[in-house]
Amino acid sequence: MNHEPIGSLFVDEVKAIPGGEFVEMCYSCGTCVSKCMIQQKGEPEFNPRRLLRMVMMEMKDESFDSKTTWLCSACDLCYPACPQKIHISGVIHAVKSLAVKNDKKTIQNTAVVDQQTCVACGLCVEACPYEAIKIIETKVPYRGIINVASVDSGLCMACGTCSAVCRSTSIGVPEEFTDESVVEGLWTWLQSQGVED
Amino acid sequence: METRPKIALFQCKWCLYSQPDQNWVDNDLPSSMYLVKLPCTGRINPLYILNAAQGGADGIVISGCLPEKCHYKEGNLSALRQHEEFLNFLDYIGYERSRVRFVWLDLQDRGRIQKELADFEAEIAKLGKAKVLATRTNVSPGGQYA
Amino acid sequence: MVDAARHPRIDVRTFTEVEKVEGFVGNFKVTLREKAKYVIADRCNGCGDCARVCPIEVPNYFDMNLAPRKAAYVPMSQSVPLVYNIDLDACIHCYKCVDACGALEAIDFSQEDKLVEEDIGAMIVATGFSHFDPSVMEEYGYSRYPNVITSMEMERLNNSAGPTAGNLIRPSDNKNPQKLAFINCVGSRDKRYNPSCSNFCCMYSIKNAILLKQMNPNVDITIYYIDIRTPSKGYEEFYDRAREMGIHFSQGRPSLITEDPETHNLFVHSEDVTLGKVMEKEYDMVMLNQAAVPQPDQNHMSSVLNVAQSPGGWFMEYHPKLRPIDSPTDGVFFAGACQGPKDIPSSVAQGSAASSRASRILQSDHWEIEPTVAVVFPERCSATTRGRACGICAKACPYGAINIFSPEIPAEVVTAKCHGCGACVAECPEDAITQLHFTDAQILAQMRAVLADKPEEKILAFRCHWCSYGGADLAGTSHFEYTANERGLRVMCSARMDTDFIYEAYRLGAGAVLYSGCHPQDCHYITGQLIGAKRASRLEKIFERMKMTDGRFRVEWISAAEGDKYARVLNEMQAVLDDIPMDDLKAEIEQLKPEMSKRLKKFPGVPGVQEAMDYSDILVDAITKQKEAA
C-alpha cells in the first residue's frame, strides 16, 4: 500500500500560505457572499464562495483571472459571519499572492505617484490602509536620485485615501472624477442655488 | 419665501447599504442637497469641504461605514482623523463645527439616512445661513491628479 | 403520560430534583428534593378555582412567555398529575386561593422542600435538551425585531391550545402573515456557537411549513437552508410533499435580516447559492430554527450522576456504536436528547431500549463485571504504614470507586463500581493496589521475555486495550508495513502504564519505548487518558533532564481507526534508532542504567515482582542458552 504522492495540487499551494489554511472547510452556505458589498454595489461576478470552490476544484487559471481575486478589499465583513470560521479574505489574499507570483496584473487602476512633485513627506505612507506605499530612493528625470513615494500595485486597492492626504497633490488613483471636477460640481450647484456673492 | 438650507452630502460608495435608501439618495435628493459619491470617506480631500464652505453651503454631511466595517480597512478612521483637525481650522475662520456632521451607517439602518438628513436640516435651519467666507479663487489647485 | 401515571408500578414524581447519588449498580441510594408546591397533591382535584381568583399574572414560560399565567397555575392543561402549584416568587400572599379552595383545604403555605432517600436499582436519564438563544446572533435581530420569532414560539402560536388558539399572528400588529421565511441552522453547524448539526431541524421546519400551508394554502413560505438533511425512512418523501405543496426552498444561509421601521416587515439578505446572486426579499414574519443545545444544568447533572460529557456538552455513552444507551457508570442509562439531539422516533426507540436494559438489572440477583478489577493490599497502604491515607488513588479513579473513610483506614475498592482501568494501581506511590490479570509481576514478566535478546534493537510499545491495540491490529490487517523490532504490550488503559514499567524497560536495555493510548475524547474510562497523559508528560521531562536521545521515548495517541498512524509512528521510531550508531546507543543505555535503578528501588518490593524477576531470569537464561546452542 505505498502510493507515490500525486504532485503538488493548487489547493495545497493555497493552504501553504498563511491565511489560506482552512479553504477546504467551506461548505458553500453563501453567508460571505450576502455579507459582501462588492457584489451588491454593482459587480455581479464577484463571489468569494465561488472562488473558494474554484480553489478546491483545481481551477488555477480561472481563479487567477477571476474578479474576486483582485477586487476583494479585505474589509472582513464576512469573516465574523462565517459559520466555519474561515478567514475568507486571507484565502483570497493567498490566491492573489500566487497570481502575482505567476506574473498576473491587477485589473484595478492603482495609485500613481507624480515623481516630479513628490516631496517624500510620508503622509500617504501613514494613511494607506494596505501598507502599499513606501518611500524609496529612485532616479527621477530632472531631479536626480531622490526619495519619492512608490506604490506596490499588488497591494493597492484604489481607495484614494493617499490622494486625500497628499499636500502636494502628487499621488492619486486615476478615477472617473478628479479633484477639479468635484469642486466644479459643488460650485455649479451652489451657484444654481442662488448665491449672490 | 424661506429657502431651505443648502447641504452638501459626501457619501462613501460602499455605505448606505440598503438598496431603497441608495436609490433615494441617488435620484430623489431634494434640490437643496448635493451628493458627492466617492470610493471612501478617506478619499474626501479637505479641499472639497473648504470649497463647499467657501461656496456658501450651510451644512456638510459625511456619511461612511461604521468604524470597524470600512471597506478599505481603516479609510474612514483616516478621514475622521483628518477632518477633526480640519474642522478646527474651519471653526477658526468662522464656519461653525456644528455645520459638519459625520454619519456612520450600517446595513441594518434601513431608512436612517432620510431621518438624519431631515434632522440635520432642522438643526442648520436653526443656526441660520452660514457666514459668507472669502470666495474662492479661480486658480486651479495644480498637480497632475488635482 | 396519563397511562404511566395510572400504572400501579409507576411512580411519577414531578417538581422533584435528584440531589445526590450514592452506591452502585443495583444498590443506588438516591436523594431526591421534592420541591414545595404549596398545594397538597392528594387533596387537589385540579378544579382551577385558585387560578381563577389569583390576581397575579406572570409570563407563562410554557407558552414561550407569549401569554400570561397566574401565580397559582399548572404548566399546561394536559399536566400529569393535574395538581396546581403556587409560584411563591410571584405570590403576594393575598390568600384568595385559600378561600376559593374552601372545604378541600388543599392549599398549604407552610410546605417546605423535602429530602427523600430512595433505594434504586437502575436509573434512566431522560433530561432532554434546551434551545439555543438566537438573540446573541445580532444579524438576525431576534428580540430586537418583533416579527422575528423562534421555532418554539411558532409552535405555540400555531397550537390550537396555545395563546392565540392556533391563529398565527405577527407580534407587531396581530395580523395574519402572508409571506413567511424559515431560517434553518440558527446556531447549529456554526463554529461560533455549536459546531454540530441539531439533527431534527430540517424535518421540523418542513413539518411546520406543511402545517401552515394546510391551514392556509395562500401563505407563501420560503425555507432557507444550507443542506436539507432527510436521512431516515420516509423523510425524503415528506420533503418531496413539501415541494409539491409549493413551499419554496432556497439554498443559502442568510447573513442579515433588516426591518422596515414603519411596517415592521423584514428583509432577508441571502445568496441564492444555485444562482450565485444576492437576494433581498421581503417577508411579514421570519422564524428562526434554533439549535438544540444541552440543558443549562447538564454539567451539574453529570457530576451528580457521575457520567461523562461529550465535547458538545451532551452526556457521553459507553460506546458510540456498540453501547449507545449505557452510560460509563453501570446501572445508569440514557434515553432521548440528553445524550445528543434526536428526533421523536429515535428518542422513543432509545427510551424503550433503555427500559429493557434497566429491567435486565432489576431481574438479576448478581451482576457480572469485567474481571480486571483493582484490589488493595491493606498492609501496604499508607493508612496502615504511616497512619495517614494519602487519597491519591481515590482522586485518580474516574468512577469514584475507591472509598477513603478516614485517614487510619486503608483505601477500599468498591468492586461493583470498578471498571478496571488501572489508574489507581499506577498512581499509588506505595504500590499498595494491584489490578487482577494485569499485576505488576505479570507485566514485568512479559517485558523481560520480549527484551531477553538484543534489547537495544527493540522498540517496546505499551498499547491501551481499546485504541492503540486496535490501531496496531488494523495496521496488521490493512497490511501497513512497520518495523519488525516492535514488541507490543497490552494494558487496559494508558492510565495503567506505570512509571516503573518505563524505567524497568530502559533498565533492561530497551532501545525505545512507545507510550500510546486513546485520544482524550475517546477514552474508554472517562478520564483515564488524562491521567496517562499527565504521567507521560512528566516522564518526557525526566528523560529530557537525563539527556536521553530525542525520540527514544515517545508519547502518541492512536485510535483504533488509525492503523496507518501506528505504522508511521513505529517506522519513525525505528528511523531514530537507526540514526544512532549502535555503540553510542549501547553506551547511552549503560550510562542511564544506574539512574533507572535508582528510581526502581522500591519496585522489587511489590508483591510478586521479586518472584517474577527470579522466574524470568531462569527463563531468559534458558532462552539465551537455546539460542547459543542453535
Side-chain angles (χ1 to χ4, degrees):
Chain A
M1 284 272 284
N2 283 325
H3 297 298
E4 292 295 314
I6 40 170
S8 74
L9 292 171
F10 179 47
V11 62
D12 289 333
E13 280 180 55
V14 172
K15 276 160 79 179
I17 297 173
E21 297 96 331
F22 302 115
V23 54
E24 287 189 305
M25 296 306 292
C26 175
Y27 56 50
S28 274
C29 67
T31 309
C32 49
V33 186
S34 58
K35 269 277 175 198
C36 185
M37 292 320 294
I38 300 182
Q39 191 190 43
Q40 292 168 54
K41 295 270 182 181
E43 201 58 71
E45 281 168 48
F46 189 94
N47 194 319
R49 180 180 58 81
R50 290 217 163 135
L51 184 79
L52 262 60
R53 200 80 208 131
M54 280 184 203
V55 172
M56 280 186 258
M57 293 283 119
E58 294 297 311
M59 294 159 73
K60 191 171 182 170
D61 295 328
E62 289 90 334
S63 66
F64 286 170
D65 293 336
S66 159
K67 280 193 174 170
T68 316
T69 307
W70 299 107
L71 294 186
C72 172
S73 67
C75 67
D76 278 347
L77 282 182
C78 49
Y79 181 35
C82 178
Q84 288 289 80
K85 284 194 178 170
I86 304 168
H87 189 204
I88 297 148
S89 72
V91 177
I92 297 177
H93 186 80
V95 175
K96 189 164 136 184
S97 57
L98 282 175
V100 171
K101 248 186 232 164
N102 282 280
D103 294 329
K104 300 275 178 189
K105 285 270 169 330
T106 173
I107 56 171
Q108 294 196 87
N109 288 333
T110 53
V112 187
V113 181
D114 183 351
Q115 294 181 335
Q116 293 298 332
T117 52
C118 177
V119 295
C121 63
L123 277 175
C124 53
V125 179
E126 272 168 42
C128 179
Y130 295 94
E131 296 175 9
I133 309 174
K134 283 190 183 69
I135 303 286
I136 289 176
E137 211 165 73
T138 323
K139 190 167 182 247
V140 180
Y142 311 114
R143 294 182 76 190
I145 298 170
I146 50 158
N147 277 336
V148 286
S150 145
V151 180
D152 182 343
S153 66
L155 294 174
C156 175
M157 289 311 305
C159 61
T161 308
C162 49
S163 102
V165 295
C166 185
R167 291 287 156 266
S168 63
T169 54
S170 7
I171 189 167
V173 183
E175 284 154 321
E176 55 266 41
F177 63 91
T178 60
D179 281 355
E180 195 117 84
S181 72
V182 169
V183 169
E184 209 50 61
L186 261 173
W187 196 251
T188 325
W189 163 68
L190 287 166
Q191 297 280 316
S192 73
Q193 292 295 304
V195 179
E196 307 82 48
D197 37 8
Chain B
M1 188 189 93
E2 202 186 337
T3 48
R4 294 174 73 172
K6 299 184 282 292
I7 293 172
L9 167 64
F10 291 92
Q11 190 219 326
C12 135
K13 72 176 176 189
W14 302 108
C15 82
L16 280 184
Y17 297 73
S18 69
Q19 206 51 51
D21 289 351
Q22 185 65 63
N23 288 342
W24 181 81
V25 170
D26 284 347
N27 306 319
D28 304 331
L29 219 52
S31 67
S32 66
M33 294 182 190
Y34 180 71
L35 170 72
V36 181
K37 218 164 156 181
L38 297 161
C40 181
T41 44
R43 178 70 182 83
I44 302 170
N45 199 322
L47 194 77
Y48 302 167
I49 296 175
L50 182 65
N51 267 283
Q54 281 183 322
D58 300 314
I60 292 161
V61 178
I62 297 172
S63 96
C65 314
L66 283 181
E68 329 83 272
K69 294 186 174 177
C70 176
H71 189 74
Y72 297 108
K73 285 184 175 177
E74 50 196 26
N76 54 2
L77 299 183
S78 162
L80 188 64
R81 213 159 42 230
Q82 183 168 321
H83 295 303
E84 282 294 318
E85 281 298 311
F86 188 66
L87 292 187
N88 286 338
F89 167 69
L90 278 185
D91 218 14
Y92 175 71
I93 61 171
Y95 194 78
E96 298 94 326
R97 279 188 86 105
S98 47
R99 290 184 185 272
V100 183
R101 180 184 280 195
F102 284 91
V103 181
W104 306 127
L105 280 165
D106 191 23
L107 192 43
Q108 300 193 341
D109 298 330
R110 187 177 276 272
R112 190 174 136 208
I113 186 68
Q114 286 93 325
K115 273 190 207 143
E116 285 281 348
L117 284 177
D119 179 51
F120 186 63
E121 196 170 5
E123 216 166 90
I124 294 298
K126 242 182 265 165
L127 282 173
K129 277 183 96 57
K131 213 162 120 187
V132 178
L133 302 171
T135 49
R136 68 163 193 166
T137 53
N138 257 335
V139 178
S140 136
Q144 192 181 344
Y145 297 100
Chain C
M1 193 66 196
V2 178
D3 280 353
R6 284 191 186 146
H7 195 282
R9 304 193 59 183
I10 298 178
D11 183 9
V12 177
R13 307 245 177 128
T14 54
F15 217 42
T16 302
E17 269 178 21
V18 177
E19 190 91 349
K20 201 163 75 181
V21 175
E22 284 171 329
F24 48 86
V25 52
N27 295 291
F28 288 115
K29 280 230 177 309
V30 179
T31 312
L32 302 170
R33 175 182 289 274
E34 283 188 350
K35 293 191 185 168
K37 287 178 170 168
Y38 307 104
V39 173
I40 300 162
D42 300 338
R43 292 197 191 156
C44 178
N45 63 2
C47 63
D49 282 345
C50 48
R52 237 162 277 133
V53 296
C54 182
I56 300 298
E57 284 191 346
V58 287
N60 187 348
Y61 66 85
F62 182 75
D63 279 334
M64 304 311 294
N65 300 336
L66 292 168
R69 67 161 167 78
K70 297 292 181 65
Y73 71 105
V74 277
M76 52 181 163
S77 44
Q78 305 95 327
S79 296
V80 173
L82 188 59
V83 173
Y84 275 74
N85 180 7
I86 290 166
D87 178 359
L88 220 58
D89 293 339
C91 177
I92 54 161
H93 297 273
C94 66
Y95 303 124
K96 278 188 179 163
C97 48
V98 180
D99 297 341
C101 199
L104 273 176
E105 292 184 350
I107 294 172
D108 173 12
F109 276 94
S110 66
Q111 265 187 6
E112 275 174 10
D113 289 7
K114 247 192 313 191
L115 290 180
V116 189
E117 202 177 80
E118 296 276 350
D119 290 328
I120 303 287
M123 287 187 275
I124 298 174
V125 186
T127 48
F129 67 100
S130 176
H131 281 101
F132 172 75
D133 176 12
S135 54
V136 299
M137 294 180 81
E138 208 187 309
E139 60 263 44
Y140 290 158
Y142 175 71
S143 77
R144 222 166 355 117
Y145 305 148
N147 291 334
V148 176
I149 61 167
T150 64
S151 52
M152 281 314 283
E153 286 168 2
M154 168 68 89
E155 197 67 28
R156 292 316 295 159
L157 288 174
N158 203 359
N159 190 306
S160 54
T164 58
N167 180 21
L168 181 66
I169 51 173
R170 14 188 254 164
S172 71
D173 52 9
N174 294 353
K175 281 190 194 138
N176 294 96
Q178 292 305 311
K179 277 181 70 114
L180 286 131
F182 291 2
I183 297 176
N184 285 3
C185 298
V186 175
S188 52
R189 297 189 72 195
D190 192 329
K191 294 216 163 112
R192 299 169 300 167
Y193 309 105
N194 302 293
S196 59
C197 169
S198 286
N199 183 311
F200 49 76
C201 322
C202 285
M203 298 315 293
Y204 178 72
S205 63
I206 295 173
K207 178 217 85 172
N208 267 342
I210 289 183
L211 266 182
L212 290 180
K213 199 83 175 169
Q214 279 170 343
M215 282 200 288
N216 179 5
N218 295 327
V219 312
D220 181 83
I221 299 172
T222 309
I223 297 181
Y224 288 93
Y225 66 97
I226 303 174
D227 297 296
I228 289 277
R229 294 185 164 173
T230 58
S232 290
K233 191 175 68 177
Y235 284 16
E236 185 66 23
E237 290 81 343
F238 192 65
Y239 175 36
D240 276 350
R241 209 172 111 209
R243 284 191 178 266
E244 274 166 24
M245 287 175 86
I247 293 157
H248 309 298
F249 288 84
S250 171
Q251 187 172 13
R253 185 176 168 279
S255 64
L256 186 76
I257 297 175
T258 54
E259 188 195 42
D260 188 320
E262 312 276 295
T263 59
H264 292 294
N265 282 355
L266 301 156
F267 297 84
V268 175
H269 297 243
S270 85
E271 187 206 9
D272 191 292
V273 167
T274 335
L275 294 173
K277 201 168 172 293
V278 177
M279 306 274 198
E280 184 191 300
K281 291 207 166 162
E282 188 173 353
Y283 295 97
D284 297 337
M285 195 168 178
V286 173
M287 183 191 92
L288 306 177
N289 246 317
Q290 325 117 282
V293 293
Q295 291 281 18
D297 58 353
Q298 194 108 346
N299 294 351
H300 170 70
M301 267 323 269
S302 104
S303 60
V304 168
L305 297 167
N306 193 28
V307 293
Q309 283 170 292
S310 319
W314 307 99
F315 289 139
M316 189 158 77
E317 61 286 338
Y318 194 90
H319 189 285
K321 293 183 196 115
L322 303 176
R323 292 176 74 177
I325 293 139
D326 304 3
S327 81
T329 307
D330 276 343
V332 180
F333 304 96
F334 299 128
C338 63
Q339 181 237 341
K342 263 184 213 67
D343 59 2
I344 297 168
S346 321
S347 300
V348 172
Q350 201 185 14
S352 311
S355 60
S356 79
R357 293 288 280 184
S359 71
R360 218 165 54 114
I361 293 176
L362 301 186
Q363 283 168 8
S364 49
D365 308 330
H366 60 277
W367 187 244
E368 281 181 14
I369 55 164
E370 300 271 331
T372 56
V373 290
V375 177
V376 182
F377 302 117
E379 70 281 3
R380 290 181 66 89
C381 181
S382 64
T384 318
T385 54
R386 262 178 280 143
R388 241 172 57 92
C390 64
I392 292 176
C393 49
K395 221 187 276 171
C397 182
Y399 300 92
I402 300 181
N403 289 333
I404 302 228
F405 294 112
S406 79
E408 291 85 32
I409 302 171
E412 182 187 293
V413 176
V414 182
T415 311
K417 273 183 166 183
C418 177
H419 283 60
C421 60
C424 53
V425 188
E427 285 290 292
C428 180
E430 309 286 330
D431 291 308
I433 311 180
T434 192
Q435 186 184 10
L436 296 184
H437 304 282
F438 286 92
T439 61
D440 283 9
Q442 284 171 322
I443 292 170
L444 178 80
Q446 292 178 44
M447 263 162 50
R448 292 203 148 209
V450 296
L451 295 175
D453 189 30
K454 289 188 188 160
E456 65 280 358
E457 287 178 8
K458 301 288 186 320
I459 300 169
L460 188 62
F462 286 94
R463 311 165 178 163
C464 101
H465 173 83
W466 302 99
C467 292
S468 311
Y469 200 84
D473 253 356
L474 185 69
T477 49
S478 11
H479 294 247
F480 293 128
E481 272 178 35
Y482 63 89
T483 170
N485 289 333
E486 187 253 17
R487 296 289 182 275
L489 265 186
R490 182 175 70 103
V491 288
M492 290 313 279
C493 178
S494 48
R496 176 67 183 98
M497 297 170 194
D498 205 324
T499 43
D500 288 349
F501 300 158
I502 316 290
Y503 295 141
E504 176 69 7
Y506 285 119
R507 203 182 62 80
L508 291 171
V513 174
L514 171 68
Y515 190 110
S516 66
C518 306
H519 290 281
Q521 69 275 21
D522 298 344
C523 183
H524 189 79
Y525 299 110
I526 314 180
T527 52
Q529 192 269 356
L530 298 180
I531 299 165
K534 217 164 145 192
R535 192 182 308 136
S537 64
R538 209 164 59 223
L539 278 172
E540 273 178 330
K541 268 180 217 145
I542 291 173
F543 291 142
E544 200 185 313
R545 228 176 299 137
M546 285 186 191
K547 301 208 167 55
M548 187 189 276
T549 313
D550 265 359
R552 280 189 60 209
F553 178 67
R554 185 150 172 186
V555 184
E556 281 294 340
W557 310 119
I558 301 167
S559 85
E562 292 177 324
D564 57 330
K565 184 174 175 188
Y566 192 81
R568 182 167 50 79
V569 167
L570 259 302
N571 285 334
E572 281 168 14
M573 291 181 76
Q574 182 62 43
V576 168
L577 284 190
D578 290 346
D579 279 353
I580 316 173
M582 189 48 81
D583 294 339
D584 292 2
L585 182 63
K586 276 184 182 161
E588 186 181 310
I589 291 171
E590 287 305 321
Q591 191 199 334
L592 291 179
K593 266 185 187 174
E595 281 271 3
M596 302 293 173
S597 312
K598 205 170 77 193
R599 282 158 197 279
L600 282 166
K601 243 185 269 167
K602 274 203 270 175
F603 194 44
V606 178
V609 165
Q610 192 57 54
E611 290 89 324
M613 280 181 172
D614 296 345
Y615 185 61
S616 60
D617 280 346
I618 302 170
L619 270 183
V620 169
D621 278 351
I623 294 170
T624 339
K625 271 181 199 146
Q626 211 173 4
K627 286 234 165 139
E628 275 166 10

